[in-house]
Amino acid sequence: MGNKNVSLSRKGDEKYNMNSKPLHHNEERRKTPHTDTLFYKIMLGLNIAAWAGLVVVLILFHYARPEFITGVQQYWGVEGDNTWTMSYVDAMIVLLRVCLVLSLISTVMRAKRSRRKNDRFGINLIILAIIVATSLITLATTVS
């Protein structure tokens, strides 16, 4: 059983600083901030492009949908367009597919990049992919 707090002095230990602070996993060891790398800028650009594409899809949806005919309009005999504008629907489908691909690529890039505990995963990309996939399924089942 000896005394565990006793340390023996060895010749040459002075050049190795044994009392130095150990490197923990939560310390930043990157030489450049991750926001300054080309990889991060490409990933951010894809993310912004995918969300901007969804905004454009929402604008296209406004013009593609049938007109809402109220009860007063029916009573007065006002005619309205009750069909989808297929050219806008086709553009919406193409743009939704592009948004889905961009969000999935950006998610994979972020997953490869995020290896530390304090790195964020990017839940907004998952939400975007769910919104886009739901929109594509809804368009495929409701628009004829």
Side-chain angles (χ1 to χ4, degrees):
M1 294 256 179
N3 188 354
K4 294 181 182 178
N5 295 329
V6 174
S7 65
L8 299 174
S9 175
R10 292 186 182 166
K11 193 175 188 179
D13 281 349
E14 297 83 28
K15 65 181 173 182
Y16 301 107
N17 188 359
M18 295 299 207
N19 295 329
S20 68
K21 186 174 143 185
L23 189 62
H24 295 288
H25 293 290
N26 59 358
E27 291 182 20
E28 186 63 46
R29 295 180 291 155
R30 295 178 181 135
K31 293 184 178 39
T32 60
H34 69 280
T35 57
D36 292 343
T37 62
L38 180 64
F39 188 83
Y40 179 81
K41 290 178 182 177
I42 290 172
M43 191 172 53
L44 183 65
L46 290 174
N47 192 354
I48 292 171
W51 279 103
L54 185 64
V55 170
V56 172
V57 167
L58 290 173
I59 294 169
L60 287 173
F61 174 76
H62 173 71
Y63 291 109
R65 68 182 176 184
E67 292 179 10
F68 180 72
I69 302 171
T70 63
V72 173
Q73 288 174 325
Q74 286 179 349
Y75 179 75
W76 286 341
V78 176
E79 294 293 323
D81 187 18
N82 58 1
T83 60
W84 287 82
T85 308
M86 291 311 289
S87 60
Y88 288 127
V89 171
D90 294 339
M92 283 173 46
I93 291 172
V94 168
L95 198 51
L96 282 170
R97 288 178 182 168
V98 169
C99 288
L100 184 62
V101 168
L102 289 179
S103 66
L104 292 177
I105 289 172
S106 189
T107 302
V108 169
M109 288 175 72
R110 188 174 291 266
K112 285 197 166 283
R113 175 74 178 181
S114 299
R115 287 182 251 150
R116 293 176 176 84
K117 284 184 181 179
N118 59 352
D119 286 344
R120 290 185 245 140
F121 184 68
I123 194 73
N124 67 336
L125 294 169
I126 295 171
I127 291 171
L128 177 66
I130 290 170
I131 290 170
V132 169
T134 304
S135 300
L136 281 169
I137 291 169
T138 304
L139 280 175
T141 58
T142 58
V143 177
S144 55

